[in-house]
Amino acid sequence: MHASPDPSLMDSVAAEPVKSSSLPEYVYARLREDIFEMRLLPGDQVTETEVAAYFKVSRTPVREALQRLQSDGLMQGYVRGGWEVVPMDFKRFADLYELRQLIEVHAVTRLCAGPVEGKHTVDMAQIDALKADWCVPVERRLTDGRAAAALDEAFHQTLVRATGNQEMASAFDRLTDRIRIVRRLDFVYGDCVGSTYEEHAAILAQIDARAGDEAVR
């Protein structure tokens, strides 16, 4: 039932020394990175024994790391130490995107409203800083999909963080983690980099103009 891991899946970490001070954190971070970099794909199966042998650690830190990935919604465990990268659940992603939309619409509306008595203080300096990445000539745009995906994440997180509501920003960061696989697929295998630059520049322009309805649209 369990597929043997491809030796090339985690080559990026094989040469790195295991951090003995926090083995579960180390294994967690490396596996998480491999999932987000699509070296481990949805539906791939591994066992605790295989992962422990790969990282040259005991099964205890491996189990802790996998359990943490399960709480992140990235892995799911079976009996006898078997684990699987969570398969694509498009209903779940649709639900997450709906929640993302609600948060971002609220954030952009708040930014366009400017300072409001009794509300969190918005930080327009963070919004202005985004222009250096997104309001650029075509020849200065990123072409690497993974790099563009990371920059896109930072854009959306900054919109929310700039509202000054730290609880909302923290919730949005967790949401970003959960949709990262799909977003990276869009950038790496899709054709959305150019349109993303244009859309983000337009959003920033509408926020500058305090045009809430247009920014939301």
Side-chain angles (χ1 to χ4, degrees), residues 70-192:
Q70 181 168 255
S71 70
D72 290 345
L74 297 173
M75 299 287 291
Q76 56 190 19
Y78 298 105
V79 296
R80 294 187 294 278
W83 291 82
E84 180 182 40
V85 181
V86 172
M88 289 288 188
D89 180 345
F90 291 102
K91 171 61 167 63
R92 172 174 170 268
F93 282 115
D95 291 347
L96 291 170
Y97 269 91
E98 183 177 5
L99 177 58
R100 179 180 189 249
Q101 180 180 358
L102 290 173
I103 294 175
E104 287 199 282
V105 164
H106 175 76
V108 169
T109 301
R110 281 280 299 112
L111 293 171
C112 289
V116 178
E117 186 176 353
K119 297 285 188 179
H120 300 282
T121 302
V122 299
D123 184 358
M124 297 308 296
Q126 293 190 52
I127 302 302
D128 290 337
L130 291 172
K131 297 173 186 176
D133 291 322
W134 295 102
C135 301
V136 296
V138 173
E139 61 271 17
R140 287 180 52 197
R141 293 176 177 177
L142 295 175
T143 56
D144 178 77
R146 284 182 172 82
L151 195 66
D152 174 74
E153 280 190 9
F155 174 86
H156 291 279
Q157 289 171 305
T158 300
L159 290 183
V160 177
R161 195 171 293 115
T163 66
N165 187 326
Q166 295 304 313
E167 291 298 326
M168 186 167 68
S170 295
F172 191 79
D173 287 346
R174 293 192 295 272
L175 177 60
T176 298
D177 265 354
R178 291 178 178 270
I179 65 171
R180 181 170 290 131
I181 293 173
V182 170
R183 293 296 294 157
R184 289 198 178 184
L185 286 172
D186 285 343
F187 281 93
V188 174
Y189 298 106
D191 186 25
C192 67

Side-chain angles (χ1 to χ4, degrees), residues 21 39 71 84 106 193 206:
S21 60
R39 292 187 288 266
S71 70
E84 180 182 40
H106 175 76
V193 175
Q206 298 303 333

